[in-house]
Amino acid sequence: MKRIIAGNWKLHKNPEETRGFFTELLKKIEFRSDRELVFFPPATNLESTAQSLKAGSILWGSQNCCHEVKGAFTGEISAQTISFLGGRVVLIGHSERRTLFHETDELIAKKVRLVQSLDLTPYLCIGETLEERESGKTLDILKKQIIEGLKESDSSKSLVLAYEPVWAIGTGRVASLEQIQEVHLFIRDFLIQRGFSKETPLLYGGSVKPENASEIGLIPNVNGFLIGGASLEVESILKIYQA
Ligand code: PGA
């Protein structure tokens, strides 16, 4: 299985900065056949991303999409248009979407189904809050997010799962190696039980940096990373890619 290094830019960079980033990245990167590099730029920069990455060795897509292909959905992003532009992946259910934009598991499940029906790969994000962890509910919360988020999904289509403890996102506070190991093993077993491929990539996300990527990457069932802050600089994403 290829290791996935995925950058979530959130609401950072304009189209010009996007072009500049990818020009520099393509100049410096030494591609490895055992790694997959993926970017989720803001939706307004997908066209400049498509132009910059037309050679196809780096995958890209959007940070969100509408649960329907088209219609009266003001302000939404069409997964079909992402595909038309050359995007292959869509981030779904990121914790910022769940908390700041009140996305429910039900809506997330519809997005997963739609994205898979268009032959794009959903990157479904799950994770517990600090309160949930401290009250011992972590595995129950993850189980619920998996059951509900994937309830309309097609287990024969591609899927990536990203475990991101909410309290580790953008805080500089990384989950311990033991916590990550426990959760990833749990997710792996649970997905297999539910009929998903044992090859489903499981990513860890939450304050991944060049300094901690190597040791987190060695944990069993960690097949890559979803990276926010450290994906904004060419040097730091390259260090993680090479780690
Ligand atoms: P972070 O963000 O790496 O800045 O913690 C991760 C994410 O939100 O996907």
Side-chain angles (χ1 to χ4, degrees):
M1 192 192 307
K2 278 192 182 189
R3 227 151 234 285
I4 297 174
I5 291 81
N8 168 19
W9 284 358
K10 312 192 182 192
L11 198 52
H12 295 288
K13 297 194 193 292
N14 63 34
E16 199 177 309
E17 290 161 342
T18 298
R19 271 188 223 98
F21 177 95
F22 287 125
T23 305
E24 185 187 342
L25 179 73
L26 289 171
K27 241 184 247 160
K28 294 185 173 162
I29 193 167
E30 288 173 36
F31 282 109
R32 293 180 50 159
S33 57
D34 60 343
R35 308 265 149 121
E36 189 88 80
L37 191 54
V38 182
F39 283 94
F40 298 97
T44 45
N45 307 0
L46 292 181
E47 202 151 4
S48 53
T49 300
Q51 287 157 1
S52 303
L53 299 180
K54 53 180 179 289
S57 32
I58 297 176
L59 297 183
W60 57 271
S62 69
Q63 300 166 10
N64 174 37
C65 71
C66 184
H67 62 290
E68 296 285 349
V69 159
K70 59 179 167 183
F73 301 103
T74 303
E76 282 291 345
I77 305 157
S78 166
Q80 199 167 51
T81 306
I82 295 162
S83 169
F84 171 83
L85 289 170
R88 309 284 351 127
V89 293
V90 182
L91 207 57
I92 298 177
H94 187 279
S95 80
E96 286 148 23
R97 302 289 323 165
R98 291 177 189 260
T99 48
L100 302 173
F101 302 98
H102 314 293
E103 284 194 13
T104 59
D105 281 320
E106 200 179 336
L107 185 67
I108 288 166
K110 288 189 180 145
K111 295 184 182 196
V112 170
R113 184 187 60 183
L114 174 75
V115 164
Q116 285 189 323
S117 76
L118 294 166
D119 287 325
L120 303 174
T121 303
Y123 277 49
L124 174 65
C125 303
I126 58 172
E128 81 286 2
T129 62
L130 189 57
E131 197 189 339
E132 288 160 348
R133 173 157 289 272
E134 285 174 345
S135 54
K137 293 196 201 127
T138 300
L139 300 184
D140 288 339
I141 292 293
L142 298 175
K143 203 169 179 173
K144 176 174 176 291
Q145 289 174 338
I146 293 173
I147 294 175
E148 296 191 2
L150 294 180
K151 75 171 175 241
E152 299 190 38
S153 73
D154 179 343
S155 56
S156 70
K157 299 248 182 182
S158 62
L159 167 74
V160 174
L161 226 88
Y163 168 57
E164 298 200 300
V166 178
W167 47 273
I169 297 177
T171 57
R173 183 174 170 191
V174 196
S176 72
L177 301 182
E178 293 72 28
Q179 287 170 330
I180 300 173
Q181 178 158 356
E182 182 200 15
V183 166
H184 277 245
L185 177 62
F186 168 78
I187 298 172
R188 172 66 72 222
D189 286 345
F190 192 59
L191 283 181
I192 292 173
Q193 246 181 57
R194 297 189 65 80
F196 290 91
S197 162
K198 60 181 191 312
E199 302 276 292
T200 305
L202 305 184
L203 312 186
Y204 169 77
S207 298
V208 174
K209 297 186 266 309
E211 298 75 40
N212 58 25
S214 299
E215 59 175 4
I216 300 174
L218 287 174
I219 300 173
N221 297 304
V222 171
N223 311 116
F225 306 114
L226 183 58
I227 307 150
S231 71
L232 293 168
E233 300 296 331
V234 170
E235 290 303 332
S236 62
I237 193 78
L238 275 181
K239 276 191 193 141
I240 297 172
Y241 178 81
Q242 303 295 356

